[in-house]
Amino acid sequence: MPPATVHLVIPCYQESGRIGPFLNELCEVTRDLGGVTIQVVEDGSDAAEAARMRDIIAPLCARHAHLRPALFLPQNRGKGGAVYAGWDTAPDVDWLAFVDADGSCSAAEVLNLIRKARLQPTPQTALFASRWDQTGDKVRRQWKRRLMGRIFGTLVSTLLNISIHDSQCGLKLIPRTAYQRIAPGLRIHGFAFDVELLAALHDSGCDFEEVSIAWHETPGGHVHLVRDSVRMARDVLAVRSRRKSGGQGWSSGSRLDA
Ligand SMILES: Nc1nc2c(ncn2[C@@H]2O[C@H](COP(=O)(O)OP(=O)(O)OP(=O)(O)O)[C@@H](O)[C@H]2O)c(=O)[nH]1
Ligand SMILES: [Mg+2]
């Protein structure tokens, strides 16, 4: 049996300064796996940035057949919008995945998660990388981000009544069929898209597993601790009220226990 196929999207906004070494390493470590495609989705940065990204990606595309041509979105959609745009170009794969561009989560961790997904006889359980295990220096983050991450995790699990510690980690693998069931109802395209994705998967009956990974924060992040936390909290409340009103429209599933 050929290994399960995976389409891995890297959402990028103003990432030309950070993505080069990580993309190179990712292409190297996945090259011999077979059945894995990688795609950068450039999310409406300006023309100069798009040109810089082309300069980084073109030579890598020439060396690696599994690095697909980048998708350049004409307008910024937000991280979730970019991930979904990339996923929608791969309607036949077994697994849909994304990873952040900055390399905070290493190429080796991506490889581990792909291998773990492939142990499933058929894609069934979504895999959410998690920075929950903070023993030793496995997870290196600024204390402010660590604290906000904990508060946000508590907010998500309490308000949505879904047991999860870290919904926001930038590496996830989703069974493609599960995504296609819920995709028409997904509305959130900003940094909280993972929360809606989680709720929709859960409510449609798709299980998920949190997988502890190493995470070494890279400087130059785009998430503004206060501004984006407020927006994200508002999005969590929106997901909650949609579920409560029963009008979520993302599935015909039956697991609405929030
Ligand atoms: N497509 C898209 N991607 C974005 C946008 N903003 C950020 N990203 C991507 O989202 C990913 C995560 O953003 P980061 O800047 O790494 O976030 P951070 O501030 O470091 O936060 P953490 O990584 O969670 O600590 C990166 O791949 C970014 O390029 C956006 O507006 N659109
Ligand atoms: Mg980051």
Side-chain angles (χ1 to χ4, degrees):
M1 268 256 289
T5 51
V6 180
H7 184 57
L8 175 66
V9 166
I10 310 178
C12 288
Y13 184 70
Q14 303 286 353
E15 287 291 0
S16 62
R18 303 198 294 180
I19 195 174
F22 177 60
L23 184 59
N24 187 34
E25 199 190 345
L26 199 55
C27 289
E28 292 289 339
V29 302
T30 52
R31 184 168 56 186
D32 298 329
L33 281 182
V36 175
T37 48
I38 300 174
Q39 183 180 38
V40 168
V41 178
E42 214 300 317
D43 190 24
S45 305
D46 54 61
E49 169 67 7
R52 287 191 290 271
M53 289 293 278
R54 282 183 217 279
D55 287 347
I56 293 169
I57 294 165
L60 288 173
C61 270
R63 287 213 310 275
H64 298 283
H66 68 301
L67 178 61
R68 293 196 8 199
L71 182 60
F72 287 83
L73 300 177
Q75 278 184 336
N76 179 262
R77 295 188 192 176
K79 181 179 175 182
V83 167
Y84 295 151
W87 284 1
D88 289 339
T89 69
D92 300 319
V93 291
D94 298 309
W95 290 92
L96 294 164
F98 76 85
V99 65
D100 285 357
D102 61 1
S104 294
C105 158
S106 69
E109 291 288 9
V110 177
L111 190 62
N112 284 342
L113 219 68
I114 290 173
R115 291 204 167 117
K116 189 171 170 62
R118 284 179 162 178
L119 294 176
Q120 297 183 27
T122 54
Q124 222 150 26
T125 302
L127 300 179
F128 281 30
S130 172
R131 297 160 291 195
W132 178 246
D133 179 0
Q134 310 203 337
T135 52
D137 68 349
K138 190 172 175 183
V139 174
R140 284 194 230 144
R141 288 184 98 186
Q142 284 177 353
W143 70 267
K144 290 181 284 188
R145 285 178 182 252
R146 194 179 284 242
L147 179 65
M148 286 309 279
R150 288 205 171 210
I151 294 171
F152 192 74
T154 305
L155 191 78
V156 169
S157 58
T158 308
L159 290 180
L160 302 185
N161 194 20
I162 298 174
S163 176
I164 189 161
H165 298 104
D166 182 9
S167 58
Q168 299 315 108
C169 190
L171 170 62
K172 293 181 171 66
L173 270 91
I174 313 294
R176 187 260 308 161
T177 50
Y179 169 69
Q180 285 178 335
R181 269 201 307 274
I182 59 172
L186 297 174
R187 309 255 189 282
I188 296 176
H189 287 174
F191 282 118
F193 83 99
D194 322 47
V195 175
E196 185 187 39
L197 183 64
L198 167 74
L201 287 170
H202 174 271
D203 295 348
S204 68
C206 177
D207 286 328
F208 72 93
E209 180 184 344
E210 258 185 298
V211 183
S212 163
I213 64 159
W215 179 274
H216 293 170
E217 191 169 282
T218 312
H222 298 82
V223 175
H224 187 283
L225 219 50
V226 179
R227 184 196 60 211
D228 288 313
S229 298
V230 172
R231 283 186 192 156
M232 287 164 69
R234 193 194 55 200
D235 284 343
V236 177
L237 288 170
V239 171
R240 180 173 188 253
S241 58
R242 262 176 86 196
R243 290 172 94 210
K244 280 217 175 288
S245 70
Q248 69 279 14
W250 51 54
S251 78
S252 54
S254 55
R255 215 161 70 174
L256 282 179
D257 48 10

